[in-house]
Amino acid sequence: LDLVMPGMDGLELCQKLRALPAYQHTPIIFVTGDVEFQARADSLLQSGDYLIAKPVMALEVAVKAVTHLLRLRQS
């Protein structure tokens, strides 16, 4: 989710998704061009799993996905 989206920001959408039983354990990755610490803190406080800064690198997204899958296997 992008932190800045038209209509509803990524933080609000994350909160709405987490309220749905089917999405409580779905990994949510925030993407932002905002380099401020508060944006990063807000993304984690809203139950996001990761935050990636723009410009997005495909390798970073892949690493985050694999990391999440490995964590699932450990639990």
Side-chain angles (χ1 to χ4, degrees), residues 6 16 20 38 42 48 50 71:
K16 290 179 184 268
L20 300 171
Q38 191 60 48
D42 289 344
Y50 304 105
R71 284 185 182 164

Side-chain angles (χ1 to χ4, degrees), residues 11-73:
L11 296 173
E12 185 179 353
L13 180 54
C14 179
Q15 187 177 25
K16 290 179 184 268
L17 287 171
R18 291 294 190 218
L20 300 171
Y23 294 99
Q24 289 179 353
H25 301 291
T26 300
I28 294 178
I29 299 174
F30 285 104
V31 178
T32 186
D34 191 345
V35 295
E36 296 296 320
F37 174 78
Q38 191 60 48
R40 294 174 182 276
D42 289 344
S43 70
L44 294 175
L45 290 171
Q46 289 296 328
S47 301
D49 294 290
Y50 304 105
L51 185 130
I52 296 175
K54 291 180 182 177
V56 176
M57 296 185 327
L59 181 58
E60 185 176 10
V61 174
V63 167
K64 299 291 186 189
V66 169
T67 300
H68 185 75
L69 291 171
L70 290 173
R71 284 185 182 164
L72 286 175
R73 291 188 97 189

